[in-house]
Amino acid sequence: LILVIEVVRHKLDEWASGSPFFKTVLELMYRELTTLGMVECVIYLLHKYWADFNLAYEVVFVDIHFMLFYTAVINAVQSSLVRVLTTRLTNKQWTMTEDIDIYHYVAIRKEFDRLEEQFQLDKSIPASVHDSISGNDLFPKNRKNFR
């Protein structure tokens, strides 16, 4: 059992060595396991050498401690999963943004300008909406800066 655990731990260390995030998560898991082992060692010594040690308290303490450990493990797995999925999604969207055709961008920009003029001329829209649209010039009006 110890040999299997060491092989798995070695493989995890190799896998995490390329990523600072996963290396940090793995180090935090090792710390949690170390804390769990030390607490269990103290509980074992109390149980072994203290005649009046209450077994009911030990069982409750061990159950709570392991539940906290499982919570930490699930949190680490979820954090890793969120990081992997968001990185993949972000890279995919960034690649799509970089690959956008300039003519498509110009067409979108012209449509935006047309709609902006339409909304500014439409009197049925409240003045607060007009002010927020015209007050926030998100895109420069000078088209010479576009490539």
Side-chain angles (χ1 to χ4, degrees):
L1 180 63
I2 293 174
L3 184 61
V4 170
I5 291 171
E6 285 299 320
V7 168
V8 169
R9 189 174 153 200
H10 180 70
K11 291 293 182 185
L12 284 173
D13 287 339
E14 285 180 359
W15 179 69
S17 65
S19 171
F21 176 80
F22 290 120
K23 193 171 184 177
T24 303
V25 169
L26 201 56
E27 286 174 4
L28 292 174
M29 291 307 304
Y30 290 157
R31 284 186 200 164
E32 191 66 33
L33 282 170
T34 302
T35 304
L36 183 67
M38 286 189 282
V39 169
E40 288 301 315
C41 179
V42 170
I43 295 280
Y44 172 78
L45 292 174
L46 288 173
H47 182 66
K48 185 85 170 163
Y49 297 110
W50 189 16
D52 295 333
F53 189 68
N54 191 337
L55 189 61
Y57 287 145
E58 175 192 1
V59 170
V60 170
F61 181 79
V62 169
D63 286 345
I64 290 172
H65 198 231
F66 272 100
M67 285 301 131
L68 291 173
F69 172 72
Y70 295 142
T71 303
V73 169
I74 289 170
N75 186 27
V77 169
Q78 285 179 336
S79 298
S80 300
L81 185 62
V82 165
R83 182 183 186 276
V84 167
L85 293 176
T86 56
T87 301
R88 287 186 182 179
L89 181 64
T90 303
N91 287 342
K92 180 181 176 183
Q93 288 180 343
W94 184 254
T95 303
M96 288 172 49
T97 303
E98 286 181 335
D99 291 342
I100 193 168
D101 184 29
I102 189 67
Y103 298 110
H104 180 69
Y105 171 77
V106 170
I108 292 172
R109 179 59 202 208
K110 285 181 181 179
E111 181 68 14
F112 175 79
D113 290 341
R114 185 186 67 78
L115 290 174
E116 186 179 36
E117 287 177 17
Q118 177 183 346
F119 285 134
Q120 287 177 353
L121 296 176
D122 190 354
K123 299 300 180 195
S124 64
I125 298 175
S128 62
V129 175
H130 282 295
D131 294 341
S132 67
I133 292 173
S134 62
N136 290 332
D137 292 330
L138 297 175
F139 296 101
K141 300 293 183 195
N142 185 359
R143 303 287 192 265
K144 293 178 185 177
N145 295 330
F146 287 103
R147 294 180 189 174

